[in-house]
Amino acid sequence: MATLAHLRVAPRVHGGRKRANRSMVEVKAGAQALPALPFRVGHGFDLHRLEPGLPFIIGGVKLEHDRGCAAHSDGDVLLHCVVDSILGALGLPDIGQLFPDNDPQWKGASSDVFMREAVRRMKDMGYRVGNIDCTIILQRPKFSPVKEQVKRNLCELLECAPEAVNVKAKTHEKVDSLGENRSVAAHTVVLLIHAPEEPSPQP
């Protein structure tokens, strides 16, 4: 399988302090670049335990709840899921490889750092989001009060129109850890369209 020879994480500044240092992930030295397919489809999935006393953040929005996601970063299950769907569509390493949970530089990191890196890689490879469909699975609290804000955040991070983004939430009918309010999960499916930037006209 063809892969990129080198993958670089650009440093970001978030919330007034640097969240990431420049790092390098070696994939396969000398490997060829991925072919420029007209479309690419990716699927993402993520799940986090819910524990008392932690912030509960979905799509960059804090929900009022008595528990939140146990995670190395901010535990934003939706943004992690979207990142993995984009990386998967591009055939790149997943979020756990690019931002490992044993690396102290990602401790408490805001997940929009991961999103912006995934979008940068997508654009560098000549793709844009055609559309994305997201499903969040949680028993409590109600998601509808923050749904539109989450959608706006995704549109901004993905640099796409509202018509290209769909977000919905389902309960788990009180079944297993999701239905018992002990975890939260998300699925996403993304369609990427090959649309390389046109070169600037020569004077």
Side-chain angles (χ1 to χ4, degrees):
M1 180 177 178
T3 53
L4 291 179
H6 294 87
L7 302 173
R8 184 177 298 275
V9 177
R12 303 291 306 179
V13 175
H14 180 82
R17 67 186 183 92
K18 183 175 288 187
R19 290 292 192 180
N21 297 318
R22 188 170 298 272
S23 62
M24 183 74 75
V25 178
E26 299 290 342
V27 182
K28 287 186 178 179
Q32 295 179 351
L34 289 168
L37 301 175
F39 304 102
R40 286 183 170 273
V41 176
H43 172 257
F45 170 76
D46 196 25
L47 180 146
H48 286 292
R49 295 191 322 276
L50 294 176
E51 295 184 355
L54 296 175
F56 194 12
I57 300 171
I58 294 181
V61 179
K62 185 175 180 180
L63 282 71
E64 294 300 324
H65 198 33
D66 62 354
R67 59 191 65 194
C69 291
H72 185 65
S73 64
D74 66 358
D76 192 324
V77 68
L78 177 58
L79 295 193
H80 293 182
C81 192
V82 173
V83 168
D84 256 351
S85 66
I86 294 172
L87 296 174
L90 297 171
L92 298 179
D94 65 25
I95 188 172
Q97 292 174 276
L98 296 183
F99 308 99
D101 61 9
N102 58 0
D103 189 334
Q105 71 176 311
W106 308 123
K107 179 68 175 176
S110 173
S111 293
D112 64 358
V113 173
F114 311 147
M115 279 285 293
R116 295 183 195 281
E117 179 61 20
V119 169
R120 182 189 70 80
R121 291 167 186 267
M122 175 185 72
K123 293 168 65 177
D124 284 352
M125 293 177 66
Y127 288 86
R128 64 175 176 83
V129 172
N131 74 294
I132 187 167
D133 186 30
C134 308
T135 302
I136 300 157
I137 306 170
L138 78 165
Q139 196 68 31
R140 296 194 306 274
K142 291 288 186 182
F143 181 73
S144 54
V146 301
K147 178 179 177 178
E148 290 306 313
Q149 181 59 55
V150 168
K151 182 173 179 175
R152 287 193 294 270
N153 289 352
L154 287 176
C155 291
E156 178 184 352
L157 289 166
L158 295 170
E159 302 178 16
C160 62
E163 294 78 13
V165 177
N166 187 51
V167 182
K168 54 192 181 294
K170 306 288 184 183
T171 69
H172 215 243
E173 298 297 333
K174 300 183 179 180
V175 176
D176 67 33
S177 67
L178 289 165
E180 294 170 357
N181 195 36
R182 294 186 289 110
S183 64
V184 59
H187 290 267
T188 59
V189 177
V190 66
L191 172 68
L192 303 184
I193 299 174
H194 190 244
E197 293 183 1
E198 294 291 334
S200 301
Q202 296 296 321

